Amino acid sequence: MPFKITITEDADRQFRSLQVREQRILEAAIQSRLQHQPMTPTKAIKRLRPNPFAEFELRAGDLRALYNVEGDEVVILIVGRKVGNKLIVEGEEFHGHQDHPVEPPENGSGKDAE
């Protein structure tokens, strides 16, 4: 039985921000790889380290789709492009899938002013 593929509103917006050619490549990868065995690790499918955002990553060249599997449904959460060791989503570096995302420092050094 094929898995149902769902894309979140954010991921759909990110998908549509890609060039048409890239959309076609990623859509073909999603249809061919995620409908039948979305949890089986392959060269194109990687289980991510435990994180609060997504469990799996689909690779299609430098394009990426981060997703979860919920029962018989694949939910695509993020669509982006890998550049070096960074995931770029809508022109911005995405940190939500990393174990320790880089966060901007809070006001001051974190110590109370004396």
Side-chain angles (χ1 to χ4, degrees):
M1 179 175 98
F3 283 77
K4 176 182 176 189
I5 298 174
T6 304
I7 187 166
T8 64
E9 286 183 34
D10 286 343
D12 186 56
R13 184 184 68 249
Q14 296 155 4
F15 177 79
R16 301 214 180 281
S17 74
L18 299 173
Q19 295 175 4
V20 172
R21 181 176 181 274
E22 294 172 324
Q23 290 178 22
R24 289 183 183 140
I25 291 168
L26 190 56
E27 184 175 12
I30 289 169
Q31 294 300 322
S32 67
R33 306 235 181 233
L34 300 185
Q35 278 194 331
H36 297 286
Q37 295 182 329
M39 297 180 289
T40 303
T42 65
K43 194 171 182 178
I45 295 174
K46 177 183 174 187
R47 183 182 292 267
L48 299 173
R49 289 185 213 148
N51 69 74
F53 197 76
E55 191 174 359
F56 296 95
E57 175 184 71
L58 172 66
R59 300 170 176 189
D62 64 344
L63 302 172
R64 301 291 187 267
L66 303 183
Y67 66 96
N68 286 333
V69 177
E70 300 170 3
D72 64 348
E73 181 177 18
V74 173
V75 181
I76 299 176
L77 304 165
I78 287 287
V79 172
R81 175 180 290 105
K82 193 79 170 193
V83 177
N85 64 349
K86 299 174 182 175
L87 180 62
I88 306 299
V89 177
E90 292 184 302
E92 300 285 326
E93 186 175 348
F94 178 72
H95 297 284
H97 67 302
Q98 297 176 348
D99 289 336
H100 301 288
V102 176
E103 295 179 12
E106 295 182 21
N107 293 339
S109 63
K111 297 180 181 178
D112 294 331
E114 295 181 25

